[in-house]
Amino acid sequence: MDPLSSKLWRILAGLATALSLILLAGMFVFPPCSGLIETAAGGSVPMKCHWTFRAEIPVAVLLILVSAGQFFLKEPQLRRLSSIVIIGLGAAGIVITTDAVIGICMKEGMACHTTALFCRIIYGLLILAAGIQLFKADDVQRHKRTF
């Protein structure tokens, strides 16, 4: 493997791992709204942003596992696959925060808007890093075996 390519791969894997950890921690540092919605029956349920960030936690945990696992991958096919998984998880994380899946509160001043913006930025950076890795996964020097 080309030493420069290998070093770039490790740097990007480290960046992805760090971003994934920051993403998970950030959801607890910038918690979503804690408000409740009163139902017609007189009960109360958490707002939809509560469920959005409950759905984001497993995505962040999977991102941590996949990005940390990249340090151990040597085969280009596995490297490509891990990059595609990170891109897919990042896209899923962004979509979860939109009304297409669960969404966040309609009121602009709510805390969940800050958390969603934070998450979207981190997911975007993860997608960018994984995209670079996807194109660098094949940068391997091919050696012919001689017997």
Side-chain angles (χ1 to χ4, degrees):
M1 177 170 293
D2 180 21
L4 182 60
S5 176
S6 178
K7 186 175 183 177
L8 177 62
W9 179 268
R10 285 191 310 269
I11 289 169
L12 290 171
L15 177 65
T17 304
L19 287 171
S20 300
L21 288 166
I22 290 168
L23 177 69
L24 184 62
M27 286 187 234
F28 295 101
V29 173
F30 302 114
C33 309
S34 59
L36 298 172
I37 297 174
E38 191 170 321
T39 64
S44 58
V45 295
M47 294 193 294
K48 68 180 181 176
C49 56
H50 168 81
W51 303 112
T52 296
F53 294 105
R54 287 280 191 226
E56 293 284 359
I57 291 171
V59 173
V61 169
L62 287 171
L63 280 166
I64 292 167
L65 294 173
V66 173
S67 59
Q70 287 185 322
F71 287 105
F72 306 104
L73 301 176
K74 302 294 182 213
E75 293 295 319
Q77 296 87 355
L78 293 175
R79 287 182 166 200
R80 262 194 308 279
L81 180 62
S82 70
S83 298
I84 291 168
V85 168
I86 290 174
I87 291 169
L89 286 169
I94 291 172
V95 173
I96 288 171
T97 64
T98 67
D99 287 333
V101 178
I102 301 175
I104 54 177
C105 300
M106 291 184 188
K107 295 180 184 176
E108 288 295 322
M110 302 297 281
C112 58
H113 285 272
T114 303
T115 309
L117 178 62
F118 171 79
C119 290
R120 289 172 185 160
I121 290 170
I122 299 296
Y123 283 129
L125 292 171
L126 279 164
I127 291 170
L128 179 64
I132 294 169
Q133 284 181 312
L134 183 62
F135 291 107
K136 293 295 184 179
D138 280 334
D139 289 353
V140 177
Q141 287 182 342
R142 306 277 184 208
H143 296 289
K144 290 186 179 180
R145 293 184 183 197
T146 56
F147 294 97

